[in-house]
Amino acid sequence: MISIKNLHAKIEDKEILRGINLEVKAGEVHAIMGPNGSGKSTLASVLAGRDGYEITEGSVIFKGKNLLELEAEERAREGVFLAFQYPVEIPGVSTTNFLKTALNQIRVYRGEKPLDAVTFLKLMKEKMKIVEIDQALLSRSLNEGFSGGEKKRNEIFQMAMLAPTLAILDETDSGLDIDALRIVSHGVNTLRSADNAIVVVTHYQRLLEYIVPDFVHVLLNGQIVKTGDKTLALELEKKGYDWIKAAHGALEAQ
Amino acid sequence: MSKDDQILEEFTSKEYEHGWSVDFEADEAPFGINEEIVRFISNKKKEPDWMLQWRLKAFRLWETLEEPKWSNVHYPKINYQGIKYYSAPKKGGNIKSLDELDPEMAKTFERLGISLNEQKKLNGIAVDAVIDSVSVATTFKETLSELGVIFCSFSEAVIEHPELIKKYLGSVVPAADNYFSALNSAVFSDGSFCYIPKGVRCPMELSTYFRINAANTGQFERTLIVAEDDSYVSYLEGCTAPMRDENQLHAAVVEIYAAKNAEVKYSTVQNWYPGNKEGLGGIYNFVTKRGICAGDHAKISWTQVETGSAVTWKYPSCILKGDYSVGEFYSVAVTNNYQQADTGTKMIHLGKNTRSRIVSKGISAGKSQNSYRGHVSIAKRAVNSRNFSQCDSLLMGDQCGAHTFPYIDVENSTSQIEHEATTSKIGEDQIFYCKQRGLDEESSIALIVNGFAKEVMNNLPMEFAVEAQKLLALTLEGSVG
Ligand SMILES: Nc1ncnc2c1ncn2[C@@H]1O[C@H](COP(=O)(O)OP(=O)(O)OP(=O)(O)O)[C@@H](O)[C@H]1O
Ligand SMILES: [Mg+2]
């Protein structure tokens, strides 16, 4: 589904991604872990098409297309979704109104008819159940005054509405209480299918007990330095990152 | 140049949609202003002598006044002798019924999206259409007159309802009020007159559509709305002008009189030609609008969406004379390129327990300057009065300016004033967030800006809210740096 090869990205002359290689197939769940500042959110932003990064090397092929050539909105319409680590507030615009505009632009791009209000609301009702989100929240200004947990839940609700083929969840678990974590994870699992793929960025192995990954990658200093199965997350939880840093340091020194 | 800048370039180069003009054969005054011109205008309109005398008095006063300098706008000195003060399409005006309307004229308004054909009811809105100095058509007159509602051109009102005009003209905005009101009082051409009798809720929106067509002319219209006890009316004003390289002057006066328990809702969507991207041309919009809540429990509500004009100088105000009377001002002012807007309101609390509410949303883009200027004054006898003001500014890019000048006087200790102000910038992260969900840049900005202005937009009559939303988006498309 997505094939990232030797991806290098700079921001303001600082190289943040230093040769990322990652292959994600349909139906898979990949977890990306790594210390603060290692470049996880940067990778997510670069894939989603945020302005301001200079791609100096490498390629990203998504469903056969050169992703890096597409505008952010085109990537979204092609099926790339990013659940933000820090969702942005948009005063005066309700989630409902926002999603209706978004979904219909995506549909038009795909040559489908825009949904009328009734069908849209029906779809919304259905998806609201998946993450147990309240109608009242969706009528409020998008993310304005939302608690940290509400923002994250709203991100996953949007994911449910837009049904992406590749969803990147950037620390969706941070800020969620224990019950919310369970509900949101359950929501994500409901959305899992053989046709889509999910990349979860997280610091905690707890999330991975709910959303069980096929692969766990460790991102360090802009590179994926170790890949394993779900047991790698457990190991990281116990031992931290120092042993990987040490091993990787030795490798780089060679 | 960043990508956003490029998009900004593309969109701000979008042309003004109403920038065409039609060659009507026109009946015009020669250039310049003097007593002869004032007499010429009055004569053209076949006015009674009292009206001429009123104009002449205003003209003599105007000659003694100086153009105000206190606002935060800058423009080259206006040559008042280089303007024509009267221009009337030859075939327009003084028609007995809509059937007599010149088809060219009707087409002009159709092109602006305004139907003067009553069969094609504009959502049940009565329209008075004004081109340059004259009113060319007023719709639904008969329907309204059955209820005793008078809605006609100002010129007609001077002839047909002199007692009402004599009583109310200049009662809220005297000629002596300021430089531009004096000028308007001397040379005002046409406009609308609305009279809502006691106890009548006007069943349709009344609306005046102003169009400047001729070159080198000023437009000086005059609107007077009188709402008697327990009456209600919602009035809407729309304006456009052709694209011209020279600046054109628009100096209108609007007066509202609300008696006991009356409510007047006045909405404006102002889309005068703003000038081109380099700041050439555009309308100078120097307008005096004021309403008086003369009776107890009266209410006047101004809602304005200001998107056009090169320079705007405009402060729709309320004098809250009646006890428990209410004044509201909801404003969205958008400036782009080299536009300048200095706009706001005055709330003058004179009666007891009076309330006022100000919600101002300024949006600046390009190299424009956008100022809010507000004055809240609570007199000694206006005990237990309240004012709430909210002034929010939204900046797009880093070459524009937003300024707030709130003035407050409170002369008693039982009244309360609250003032909140915020300034924010449309964030790249907001736009990225929208794009990440599949919205293009244009829709993202439209969404964010309309969200910002929502509280004001919600006050517009339904029929116009959609139009205004589109206009807002159109003025600003891609203006993020
Ligand atoms: N605009 C910017 N200018 C300069 N440096 C930046 C910018 N954006 C990100 N960085 C730097 O890039 C590095 C990677 O940041 P990123 O947000 O990708 O880390 P992360 O792995 O997501 O960390 P966390 O776990 O804390 O979320 C950090 O050192 C950060 O300071
Ligand atoms: Mg991060």
Side-chain angles (χ1 to χ4, degrees):
Chain A
M1 167 166 305
I2 190 164
S3 166
I4 305 170
K5 293 217 168 82
N6 192 31
L7 184 65
H8 288 252
K10 272 209 265 194
I11 188 156
E12 286 160 15
D13 285 332
K14 187 177 161 201
E15 185 162 52
I16 314 272
L17 302 184
R18 306 188 307 129
I20 301 267
N21 289 293
L22 183 65
E23 189 83 34
V24 179
K25 297 205 174 65
E28 292 178 347
V29 173
H30 290 239
I32 297 181
M33 303 182 78
N36 294 134
S38 56
K40 303 180 296 298
S41 295
T42 304
L43 175 62
S45 296
V46 166
L47 294 179
R50 190 184 200 119
D51 279 345
Y53 298 96
E54 193 192 337
I55 313 295
T56 49
E57 249 184 286
S59 67
V60 181
I61 305 297
F62 175 67
K63 296 196 296 188
K65 287 190 178 148
N66 180 353
L67 194 71
L68 300 176
E69 273 183 355
L70 302 180
E71 292 290 331
E73 65 269 31
E74 290 169 323
R75 300 182 196 196
R77 294 166 187 178
E78 288 289 340
V80 176
F81 179 91
L82 171 59
F84 287 75
Q85 182 174 2
Y86 305 107
V88 176
E89 300 184 355
I90 305 186
V93 179
S94 67
T95 304
T96 307
N97 185 15
F98 177 67
L99 274 178
K100 186 156 185 276
T101 316
L103 185 61
N104 282 338
Q105 288 211 0
I106 293 174
R107 290 180 63 93
V108 169
Y109 176 85
R110 295 178 183 164
E112 297 160 357
K113 268 211 261 161
L115 293 185
D116 59 70
V118 178
T119 323
F120 176 81
L121 288 177
K122 227 180 98 198
L123 180 73
M124 229 175 67
K125 285 259 148 53
E126 196 183 297
K127 304 296 181 190
M128 277 161 59
K129 286 193 205 120
I130 297 181
V131 284
E132 300 181 24
I133 200 164
D134 213 40
Q135 172 73 59
L137 198 70
L138 303 180
S139 312
R140 276 168 50 185
S141 285
L142 184 58
N143 292 324
E144 200 182 30
F146 285 23
S147 75
E150 286 168 339
K151 285 184 184 170
K152 296 304 175 75
R153 195 184 288 228
N154 187 274
E155 292 291 291
I156 301 306
F157 170 68
Q158 295 185 38
M159 170 183 165
M161 288 296 291
L162 303 179
T165 35
L166 174 68
I168 305 163
L169 315 184
D170 193 356
E171 294 196 28
T172 300
D173 53 339
S174 59
L176 291 178
D177 66 38
I178 299 155
D179 292 333
L181 181 65
R182 195 172 32 78
I183 293 162
V184 166
S185 308
H186 169 76
V188 173
N189 285 329
T190 313
L191 300 169
R192 257 175 103 159
S193 82
D195 305 321
N196 61 25
I198 299 172
V199 175
V200 290
V201 174
T202 182
H203 285 296
Y204 305 105
Q205 106 70 33
R206 169 174 219 115
L207 175 73
L208 305 178
E209 282 174 15
Y210 292 106
I211 305 174
V212 182
D214 301 295
F215 300 96
V216 175
H217 310 277
V218 178
L219 188 64
L220 187 69
N221 232 333
Q223 289 177 323
I224 289 179
V225 296
K226 195 168 177 61
T227 294
D229 61 11
K230 60 182 180 190
T231 57
L232 177 58
L234 278 170
E235 199 176 352
L236 291 172
E237 183 120 309
K238 255 189 241 134
K239 305 206 284 196
Y241 291 107
D242 282 350
W243 62 286
I244 293 185
K245 282 182 190 164
H248 184 64
L251 213 71
E252 283 220 318
Q254 268 179 23
Chain B
M1 195 191 272
S2 83
K3 206 181 81 240
D4 281 338
D5 285 334
Q6 280 170 22
I7 296 167
L8 164 78
E9 283 277 316
E10 259 165 56
F11 281 115
T12 47
S13 61
K14 254 190 196 162
E15 295 299 335
Y16 176 72
E17 198 190 351
H18 301 295
W20 39 272
S21 67
V22 179
D23 269 327
F24 294 123
E25 247 195 289
D27 196 357
E28 290 183 334
F31 282 103
I33 181 167
N34 51 49
E35 281 206 17
E36 275 321 297
I37 293 288
V38 175
R39 284 175 199 280
F40 173 92
I41 294 169
S42 184
N43 184 41
K44 278 283 169 200
K45 299 200 163 286
K46 304 190 176 63
E47 284 175 354
D49 189 58
W50 61 265
M51 193 68 254
L52 173 65
Q53 295 312 321
W54 197 85
R55 286 175 181 277
L56 288 171
K57 200 172 147 205
F59 175 71
R60 285 165 200 146
L61 178 84
W62 177 72
E63 284 192 305
T64 67
L65 298 176
E66 292 260 356
E67 205 175 311
K69 292 279 181 292
W70 46 263
S71 68
N72 193 29
V73 294
H74 306 277
Y75 51 90
K77 211 169 152 46
I78 297 172
N79 174 11
Y80 289 92
Q81 300 304 339
I83 298 172
K84 284 179 200 160
Y85 288 81
Y86 183 84
S87 170
K90 266 194 184 141
K91 291 188 191 158
N94 294 324
I95 52 168
K96 295 273 168 323
S97 91
L98 286 171
D99 305 334
E100 293 173 30
L101 183 66
D102 177 32
E104 266 304 303
M105 204 86 71
K107 253 196 259 161
T108 299
F109 278 94
E110 291 281 352
R111 213 167 145 188
L112 293 165
I114 295 155
S115 176
L116 298 178
N117 181 338
E118 288 187 359
Q119 263 75 52
K120 279 200 228 153
K121 270 205 192 185
L122 192 79
N123 303 313
I125 298 158
V127 179
D128 184 22
V130 178
I131 289 191
D132 296 334
S133 307
V134 292
S135 162
V136 294
T138 310
T139 61
F140 293 105
K141 266 189 181 164
E142 281 86 44
T143 322
L144 290 168
S145 73
E146 278 163 27
L147 291 163
V149 172
I150 302 170
F151 181 46
C152 64
S153 74
F154 205 92
S155 312
E156 189 180 330
V158 169
I159 313 280
E160 302 288 329
H161 310 283
E163 61 309 323
L164 287 173
I165 300 294
K166 274 190 205 165
K167 182 168 174 197
Y168 293 106
L169 179 67
S171 68
V172 191
V173 180
D177 189 74
N178 67 70
Y179 186 80
F180 296 109
S181 65
L183 178 62
N184 174 287
S185 301
V187 299
F188 72 84
S189 38
D190 218 332
S192 303
F193 174 63
C194 313
Y195 178 83
I196 320 297
K198 193 171 168 179
V200 172
R201 269 189 82 83
C202 187
M204 55 176 90
E205 304 275 344
L206 302 185
S207 137
T208 303
Y209 199 88
F210 295 104
R211 169 85 180 161
I212 297 181
N213 189 64
N216 298 312
T217 40
Q219 179 142 323
F220 305 92
E221 82 264 2
R222 186 106 201 171
T223 299
L224 174 59
I225 300 174
V226 178
E228 295 286 22
D229 292 0
D230 308 303
S231 68
Y232 168 84
V233 66
S234 169
Y235 179 92
L236 187 117
E237 167 198 282
C239 341
T240 61
M243 275 194 275
R244 298 194 187 284
D245 287 350
E246 83 270 2
N247 294 103
Q248 282 180 286
L249 180 62
H250 171 250
V253 170
V254 175
E255 297 178 276
I256 300 177
Y257 181 93
K260 201 174 117 199
N261 258 323
E263 179 176 350
V264 178
K265 204 171 141 54
Y266 191 106
S267 315
T268 310
V269 176
Q270 185 264 106
N271 185 24
W272 295 120
Y273 178 52
N276 73 3
K277 278 178 297 165
E278 281 77 44
L280 185 67
I283 303 289
Y284 291 157
N285 191 30
F286 300 143
V287 172
T288 308
K289 294 185 169 186
R290 191 176 303 148
I292 183 166
C293 288
D296 295 352
H297 297 279
K299 178 174 176 183
I300 293 176
S301 180
W302 299 100
T303 303
Q304 59 173 23
V305 176
E306 302 282 312
T307 65
S309 297
V311 178
T312 299
W313 181 98
K314 181 178 172 187
Y315 315 91
S317 305
C318 298
I319 300 169
L320 305 173
K321 185 162 168 250
D323 294 345
Y324 296 94
S325 61
V326 177
E328 291 177 339
F329 174 74
Y330 294 94
S331 168
V332 177
V334 190
T335 51
N336 199 354
N337 299 319
Y338 286 89
Q339 281 178 275
Q340 306 174 58
D342 194 299
T343 183
T345 185
K346 275 191 222 167
M347 292 291 173
I348 314 293
H349 294 250
L350 302 176
K352 298 185 189 72
N353 296 293
T354 46
R355 302 269 179 281
S356 65
R357 185 178 174 82
I358 298 171
V359 178
S360 161
K361 305 273 179 177
I363 303 165
S364 354
K367 298 193 166 72
S368 67
Q369 296 295 327
N370 203 326
S371 304
Y372 166 79
R373 190 180 299 277
H375 186 179
V376 177
S377 144
I378 299 187
K380 196 160 185 176
R381 67 168 292 266
V383 292
N384 289 317
S385 292
R386 301 264 182 285
N387 161 266
F388 172 76
S389 302
Q390 169 91 43
C391 298
D392 298 324
S393 307
L394 187 68
L395 298 170
M396 305 174 92
D398 47 19
Q399 291 180 289
C400 52
H403 317 272
T404 315
F405 304 99
Y407 305 96
I408 294 168
D409 297 307
V410 187
E411 290 175 17
N412 65 53
S413 55
T414 53
S415 294
Q416 274 180 24
I417 282 192
E418 263 179 273
H419 181 94
E420 287 175 13
T422 65
T423 300
S424 51
K425 227 179 135 163
I426 276 210
E428 277 180 37
D429 15 341
Q430 281 177 319
I431 294 183
F432 176 60
Y433 190 85
C434 294
K435 284 182 166 181
Q436 208 303 303
R437 299 302 187 245
L439 273 71
D440 56 35
E441 174 116 1
E442 210 174 301
S443 326
S444 305
I445 291 172
L447 200 81
I448 296 167
V449 166
N450 277 305
F452 172 76
K454 189 174 163 206
E455 216 184 326
V456 175
M457 301 302 241
N458 281 351
N459 273 289
L460 284 176
M462 265 276 273
E463 296 84 346
F464 297 96
V466 178
E467 219 32 53
Q469 277 189 14
K470 282 195 213 143
L471 194 58
L472 211 63
L474 199 75
T475 315
L476 283 171
E477 270 168 353
S479 313
V480 180

